[in-house]
Amino acid sequence: MSSTTLIDPAAIAEVELSHEEVQRYSRHLIMPEVGVEGQKKLKAASVLLIGAGGLGSPLAMYLAAAGIGRIGLVDYDVVDYTNLQRQIIHGTKDVGRPKLASAKDRINDINPHIQVDTYEVALTSDNALELFEPYDIIIDGTDNFPTRYLTNDACVLLGKPNVYGSIFRFEGQASVFYAEEGPCYRCLFPEPPPPGLVPSCAEGGVLGILPGTIGAIQATEAVKLILGVGTPLIGRLMLYDALNMEFNEVKLRKNPNCPICGENPTQTELIDYEQFCGMPAHDHSLYVNGNENGDSAPVHQISPEELNTRLNNGDDLFILDVREPHEWEISNLEPLGAVLIPKGKVLERIGELDPAREIVVQCRSGARSADIIKELRKNGFQNDRLLNLDGGINRWAKEVDTSLPTY
């Protein structure tokens, strides 16, 4: 692809490199594929990163070091100890700070010659087009399907490339979805997976080094797009297996019937992506996924303090832990009578549950347990006898039994 179609030639013409910048970027300038003209393209370019977490960390730092003139960051989270294993843009001193503040400080330290714009908001259908419009490239560093579909559709509607990456445990994926020249994300995944089928990194874990690998690949693709060199991952899905140290590639084709980028698109605006995917996009989302019978009854929550009070009062409660065995080893409520039945085996062992008893379902943070409550309702359990431990065992460890670790 030609970089002149991506970066405004007038903007490139206005760029000058100071003596300090020439020294800073000297290893770029002596490469014939970059040179002075290429470095000016990088300085004239603008890139928006969705997420300042695992993928956003290496992306932001490498793009800043490369001299991207304007970097935008979208995130509304704060730095937590559990982030530090992989989100290397943040340090121990940043725990409790907004991720955007921490990330901006680090970027400015790496390269004070660039502009950093931060947007401490949740990306939604209401603000995506406005946020994306000023940027040349959008990079998807998110970890949930509603935001991935939203990012894709907004990029298609605006005609912008979407540099995609995803990570889970030891595996990663990367591609460039650019409807102007190839397929989009919907061409590859027309429909989202069923809710609860694909666990998040918070539920399934991720090798701390993995986002560094995938994020660096995404950063490389962004730089190639800006310079107009090499062969971008348009129409190709790169698959990475860290355990076997293997890279594989799948060829992708544009779907002529794609509802957003096909020959006769039926979707011409952004939609409700939480409803489309049947799952929340954000930690603070109030979305409730109804079951197949149209049951949209809310999942009843019980706080750790409320559960502790009821147990101390001698109430007959059955505590069902739906985490995995290796999580049980980290922390558990076995002294209180909790029983471990992993989420994937609950329906197989449903006969071990007494519908006449009140059941408190518990996991790490409350997401998987809420899914199990919905499944139990489908199988005849009364909603008023099912309680979800709000915040999971991690909140219990913070508010009731501080001798337990959080993870």
Side-chain angles (χ1 to χ4, degrees):
M1 66 176 291
S2 171
S3 64
T4 57
T5 62
L6 196 58
I7 310 301
D8 183 2
I12 299 172
E14 294 179 358
V15 168
E16 297 291 339
L17 298 178
S18 67
H19 288 182
E20 197 280 335
E21 287 176 299
V22 169
Q23 185 177 27
R24 176 182 288 266
Y25 305 128
S26 61
R27 298 305 185 269
H28 272 174
L29 302 182
I30 60 178
M31 297 173 63
E33 296 87 352
V34 184
V36 173
E37 183 66 16
Q39 194 62 49
K40 288 183 176 181
K41 290 178 183 178
L42 295 174
K43 188 172 179 178
S46 57
V47 176
L48 182 67
L49 308 182
I50 312 302
L55 292 172
S57 291
L59 275 164
M61 291 194 293
Y62 273 116
L63 292 177
I68 300 300
R70 181 186 182 191
I71 296 177
L73 299 170
V74 181
D75 204 303
Y76 61 88
D77 202 0
V78 298
V79 180
D80 185 83
Y81 278 107
T82 60
N83 301 147
L84 302 180
Q85 161 255 16
R86 65 199 178 282
Q87 299 182 18
I88 58 173
I89 202 168
H90 313 295
T92 304
K93 64 179 174 55
D94 298 311
V95 170
R97 294 183 70 198
K99 287 185 178 179
L100 291 187
S102 170
K104 186 172 184 177
D105 284 351
R106 183 72 180 104
I107 293 170
N108 285 334
D109 184 50
I110 290 173
N111 192 344
H113 299 281
I114 65 176
Q115 176 180 335
V116 183
D117 295 321
T118 58
Y119 309 93
E120 196 168 2
V121 296
L123 186 69
T124 68
S125 297
D126 293 329
N127 62 21
L129 295 177
E130 181 181 358
L131 288 173
F132 288 14
E133 199 279 330
Y135 291 90
D136 300 309
I137 296 174
I138 313 300
I139 304 188
D140 182 357
T142 62
D143 61 357
N144 67 83
F145 289 100
T147 309
R148 286 175 186 162
Y149 279 98
L150 168 58
T151 299
N152 174 80
D153 292 0
C155 285
V156 173
L157 293 176
L158 293 172
K160 297 183 183 293
N162 167 23
V163 182
Y164 160 80
S166 70
I167 51 176
F168 181 67
R169 291 183 175 165
F170 289 91
E171 299 178 350
Q173 300 179 356
S175 187
V176 175
F177 296 114
Y178 191 27
E180 302 283 314
E181 301 194 13
C184 77
Y185 182 77
R186 280 184 182 263
C187 294
L188 176 61
F189 301 112
E191 299 289 337
L197 181 64
V198 181
S200 67
C201 290
E203 295 176 345
V206 61
L207 180 69
I209 303 164
L210 182 65
T213 304
I214 301 301
I217 289 170
Q218 289 178 280
T220 303
E221 289 301 298
V223 169
K224 285 163 54 183
L225 290 171
I226 293 166
L227 295 176
V229 300
T231 304
L233 282 173
I234 297 173
R236 298 184 290 151
L237 179 67
M238 189 216 70
L239 306 174
Y240 173 58
D241 179 349
L243 273 181
N244 296 310
M245 196 49 69
E246 292 180 347
F247 287 88
N248 292 293
E249 184 178 292
V250 176
K251 296 289 186 182
L252 307 178
R253 292 185 178 181
K254 196 176 185 71
N255 177 8
N257 298 316
C258 178
I260 190 80
C261 81
E263 297 173 358
N264 298 293
T266 57
Q267 183 183 327
T268 57
E269 59 184 18
L270 302 180
I271 61 173
D272 184 335
Y273 292 90
E274 292 190 334
Q275 183 180 56
F276 174 68
C277 295
M279 64 186 71
H282 310 288
D283 294 339
H284 58 249
S285 172
L286 296 178
Y287 178 78
V288 176
N289 176 36
N291 65 27
E292 296 172 355
N293 300 320
D295 173 17
S296 59
V299 172
H300 296 305
Q301 306 285 340
I302 184 170
S303 72
E305 287 191 2
E306 291 171 330
L307 175 58
N308 189 46
T309 297
R310 293 197 59 185
L311 290 173
N312 288 335
N313 289 339
D315 291 3
D316 182 27
L317 300 172
F318 181 85
I319 303 175
L320 172 63
D321 188 329
V322 297
R323 297 175 300 155
E324 297 300 313
H326 55 271
E327 293 179 272
W328 175 272
E329 293 178 6
I330 299 172
S331 62
N332 62 70
L333 301 182
E334 186 175 21
L336 302 178
V339 173
L340 175 66
I341 304 181
K343 180 181 177 183
K345 297 184 178 296
V346 170
L347 295 185
E348 296 176 20
R349 299 171 57 182
I350 199 168
E352 298 177 31
L353 305 179
D354 183 358
R357 293 181 70 185
E358 274 192 282
I359 300 175
V360 177
V361 191
Q362 166 252 305
C363 65
R364 172 185 172 273
S365 58
R368 282 172 286 177
S369 48
D371 288 339
I372 287 300
I373 285 177
K374 294 166 190 173
E375 291 299 321
L376 292 175
R377 289 197 311 221
K378 293 179 188 178
N379 286 270
F381 284 71
Q382 295 299 310
N383 193 36
D384 59 1
R385 293 189 174 276
L386 299 171
L387 298 170
N388 187 44
L389 182 58
D390 191 11
I393 196 168
N394 273 355
R395 184 178 168 190
W396 174 277
K398 293 175 182 178
E399 299 180 2
V400 177
D401 185 357
T402 55
S403 69
L404 292 177
T406 59
Y407 68 101

